[in-house]
Amino acid sequence: MAASAKVIAIFVSNPALGSILAATLASAPALRVRSFESQLALTTYMRLAPVDLIVADFDGEVPAHHLAIDLRGDTRLERRDFQLLALA
């Protein structure tokens, strides 16, 4: 039985960095990568599908710690046991 692909959400304020991260991570066959331009888009996606890891800016438009608090407090998410990697 094959393991399911892990879903990685990328939410960074620099589009170039987001593209580089997405391209690099998408090269791994065990990963599904999704990029988001707003917290609303990320939250909406997470209400429909589980995310395993979020890569976000530490001091972006929405700081990583605020993003984590908002998402972990949202009871409508598909799953709230995600990891968050904050880029400094």
Side-chain angles (χ1 to χ4, degrees), residues 2 14 18 31 45 47 56 82:
N14 183 324
L31 301 177
Y45 180 85
R47 288 180 182 160
F82 57 86

Side-chain angles (χ1 to χ4, degrees), residues 4-9 32 42-54 67-68 70-84:
S4 63
K6 299 292 183 184
V7 178
I8 298 178
R32 286 192 345 225
L42 173 60
T43 303
T44 301
Y45 180 85
M46 291 181 70
R47 288 180 182 160
L48 301 172
V51 169
D52 297 295
L53 172 68
I54 299 171
L67 180 65
D70 292 346
L71 292 174
R72 294 213 193 271
D74 190 339
T75 58
R76 296 173 290 177
L77 294 184
E78 176 74 19
R79 199 174 84 207
R80 290 186 289 167
D81 62 340
F82 57 86
Q83 300 288 319
L84 190 135

